[in-house]
Amino acid sequence: MSAVPHTATAYRAMCSEDLDTVSAIEQRIYAFPWTRGNFADSLIAGYACTVMECEAVLIGYGVLTLAAGESHLLNLSIDSPWQGRGHGRALLLNHIDLARARGARIMLLEVRPSNTVARSLYRDIGFEQITVRRGYYPDTAGREDALLLGLAL
Ligand SMILES: CC(C)(COP(=O)(O)OP(=O)(O)OC[C@H]1O[C@@H](n2cnc3c(N)ncnc32)[C@H](O)[C@@H]1OP(=O)(O)O)[C@@H](O)C(=O)NCCC(=O)NCCS
């Protein structure tokens, strides 16, 4: 069980001024990161883009689409020094609350089979596997499958 975050965290909508920080974190924590343009496009598209701050330091973020009763979590990230302290769980629960409040009845997401940390978190929250998307992700060895997970809200 992660320690409950003992430092106060806050959530707010991502804005264009956050893009440099968000992109820098993204490059740090993923082998195949989103580009700055991917985040900029998400803001332009009107996706629900949220940042998590701890004492005014941006420590995590998420990107969620909401349409027709479905939510799709496209990105959920905690900066490396802050991982393993319960912040990822809190950020995910914040997104679930947001999706419910906007009328979504299901949350979908893709995860790499090799991402044991994220899979453990999603399993713990109650996500279940719906299907496997073959060769969905780039990988050093070619392509990696994605597990499509779903949570009834
Ligand atoms: C995945 C991620 C969002 C989880 O956030 P986090 O703050 O590190 O995780 P938490 O401390 O909230 O832990 C939540 C659960 O994750 C799992 N977990 C966390 N750290 C773990 C570790 N080192 N090993 C195994 N499981 C781990 C556990 O199930 C944990 O629950 P528990 O503490 O009750 O056992 C974060 O590690 C991250 O951003 N990783 C890199 C980007 C990424 O993979 N994003 C998800 C893409 S689908």
Side-chain angles (χ1 to χ4, degrees):
M1 187 68 156
S2 302
V4 175
H6 59 278
T7 39
T9 52
Y11 302 94
R12 64 170 173 79
M14 189 186 293
C15 58
S16 54
E17 288 73 23
D18 298 316
L19 289 176
D20 287 345
T21 306
V22 166
S23 309
I25 295 172
E26 181 83 7
Q27 307 298 314
R28 260 199 295 283
I29 65 173
Y30 288 100
F32 296 91
W34 279 24
T35 64
R36 189 181 195 283
N38 293 143
F39 289 103
D41 288 347
S42 297
L43 288 176
I44 290 166
Y47 296 166
C49 303
T50 302
V51 298
M52 181 184 205
E53 291 181 318
C54 182
E55 293 169 357
V57 175
L58 197 163
I59 66 165
Y61 49 87
V63 176
L64 184 72
T65 66
L66 292 148
E70 279 191 9
S71 59
H72 199 140
L73 188 58
L74 302 180
N75 193 313
L76 182 85
S77 302
I78 297 291
D79 197 3
S80 39
W82 299 87
Q83 290 174 6
R85 303 195 212 172
H87 295 301
R89 181 186 298 271
L91 183 61
L92 177 57
L93 292 174
N94 176 273
H95 281 79
I96 290 170
D97 286 348
L98 174 65
R100 280 201 185 106
R102 298 272 195 95
R105 293 182 298 279
I106 189 168
M107 180 174 286
L108 301 171
L109 60 83
E110 282 88 10
V111 63
R112 290 177 186 263
S114 61
N115 193 342
T116 52
V117 170
R119 287 181 65 190
S120 170
L121 168 61
Y122 298 141
R123 191 181 314 115
D124 207 36
I125 295 289
F127 280 86
E128 293 180 354
Q129 184 173 321
I130 296 174
T131 191
V132 177
R133 299 197 196 279
R134 298 283 171 210
Y136 184 85
Y137 290 114
D139 184 38
T140 44
R143 308 290 299 180
E144 181 175 359
D145 295 342
L147 308 179
L148 177 68
L149 307 185
L151 177 75
L153 300 178

